[in-house]
Amino acid sequence: MDPFMQAAIEEARQGLAEGGIPIGSVIVHNGVIIGRGHNRRVQQGSAIRHGEMDAFENAGRQPASVYRDAVLYTTLSPCAMCSGAILLYGIPRVVIGENRTFMGEEAWLRERGVQLEVLQDAECVHLMENFIAARPELWNEDIGE
């Protein structure tokens, strides 16, 4: 498996272990992880701390040139908020673990020129299916149906 998607999955597992939603993300520049994060809505009582947003926050201030040459890995298809951040910072490529349990703004990202790769990774699907079955109220509080 791609080591960067594996790192995103490790972040998702950490979020679940903390009592949160198992979604993880990493931002990679020149083969190095510059930001990693996981959904911390529950842990921090945050309205915006999705996995991708946490990875951006943990990457700290980066010049636009870094983001324009970076790849974002996320275990779940990015929602509208996270897709907006991807577009705002000019991330050209996103690798998505799965979009079966939630289809984010992939069409919008593609329309705006972002290259997407959807892996349909079994572990990513398993993490979300189990979480949604176990904690439907928490999932629905965020971006569930």
Side-chain angles (χ1 to χ4, degrees), residues 34-118:
I34 61 169
R36 58 189 308 144
H38 53 272
N39 188 301
R40 296 177 195 259
R41 289 184 65 255
V42 173
Q43 299 92 313
Q44 296 185 352
S46 171
I48 62 167
R49 216 60 185 261
H50 286 188
E52 300 91 334
M53 301 300 281
D54 194 45
F56 275 116
E57 183 68 17
N58 291 327
R61 290 179 61 196
Q62 298 291 332
S65 60
V66 168
Y67 287 125
R68 282 194 302 265
D69 195 34
V71 179
L72 184 141
Y73 290 75
T74 181
T75 59
L76 185 65
S77 185
C79 74
M81 175 179 64
C82 297
S83 294
I86 288 163
L87 294 173
L88 176 68
Y89 291 108
I91 302 282
R93 182 168 175 251
V94 178
V95 179
I96 298 166
E98 66 102 352
N99 62 10
R100 291 183 189 159
T101 60
F102 175 79
M103 173 60 76
E105 299 295 330
E106 293 180 25
W108 182 40
L109 289 168
R110 282 191 180 100
E111 280 173 19
R112 299 287 300 271
V114 178
Q115 177 191 351
L116 302 181
E117 180 181 352
V118 182

Side-chain angles (χ1 to χ4, degrees), residues 15-16 18-22 42 127-142 144:
L16 184 63
E18 294 169 357
I21 301 166
V42 173
L127 274 168
M128 286 310 301
E129 284 179 345
N130 287 349
F131 175 77
I132 292 167
R135 301 290 308 274
E137 74 293 342
L138 184 53
W139 173 243
N140 289 325
E141 174 188 311
D142 194 1

